[in-house]
Amino acid sequence: MVGLFIGLLIAAIVVLQVFIPVVQDAISSSGISGTEQTIVELLPLFAVLLLLIALAGPLMRRV
């Protein structure tokens, strides 16, 4: 159980502190606009949703 929590915390740190800022910086410095920009701006949201699913899945199996 402790190993599960450590793994989930590492995944949360990577997603929240590394992936999201890097993606947002890449979006702001890119030259895309219109529909492409709208789709790319949703990537951080999908990353957070994936993180929530990754956190909830193993915990629900333990309950």
Side-chain angles (χ1 to χ4, degrees), residues 13-49:
I13 289 169
V14 167
V15 168
L16 295 175
Q17 297 295 321
V18 177
F19 178 75
I20 292 175
V22 168
V23 169
Q24 287 178 340
D25 183 50
I27 292 169
S28 65
S29 65
S30 69
I32 59 173
S33 62
T35 305
E36 293 87 8
Q37 183 179 6
T38 303
I39 292 171
V40 172
E41 285 176 348
L42 291 174
L43 286 177
L45 172 67
F46 291 139
V48 170
L49 290 174

